[in-house]
Amino acid sequence: MRFCKAVTAVIALAFTLLGCSDSTFEPAWPNPGTIVATAVSPDEAAVAMLISRKERGHYQFEIRDTGSGVTLARNAISAPIGYHEHVVAILWVNSRHAEATIDRDFGDNNLHFNLSY
């Protein structure tokens, strides 16, 4: 009988501690300034990149000259946080136009962002 009371007390304590926790099971977010995706243009004259910002779900989408590193185009974009970490990809449509795709919901309703220079 004492064993049952002890087990019940331990289980109750565990649930109480879990209920008091402020941590949530949110997807991880990279440090601000982390390059999370890159792609070189077909003519290799430019590189497109997606850079994480401080706010969760926010990015800087940039195209830079590969030789000098000069920014040719820049746009701030954002995507809602979904059920998993964002899966991001960049695809060049042509040598001057890139498209970033953000999957936030297991492939459903992917978000597409375009940037040209």
Side-chain angles (χ1 to χ4, degrees), residues 37-50 61-66 72-73 89-101 113-117:
T38 62
V40 177
S41 65
D43 63 2
E44 299 182 3
V47 62
M49 57 185 63
L50 212 52
F61 187 17
E62 292 187 3
I63 297 177
R64 295 182 186 173
D65 181 80
T66 52
L72 303 171
I90 298 175
L91 174 70
W92 283 87
V93 177
N94 61 48
S95 293
R96 298 181 61 89
H97 180 92
E99 179 181 84
T101 302
F113 302 92
N114 293 289
L115 190 60
S116 299
Y117 74 99

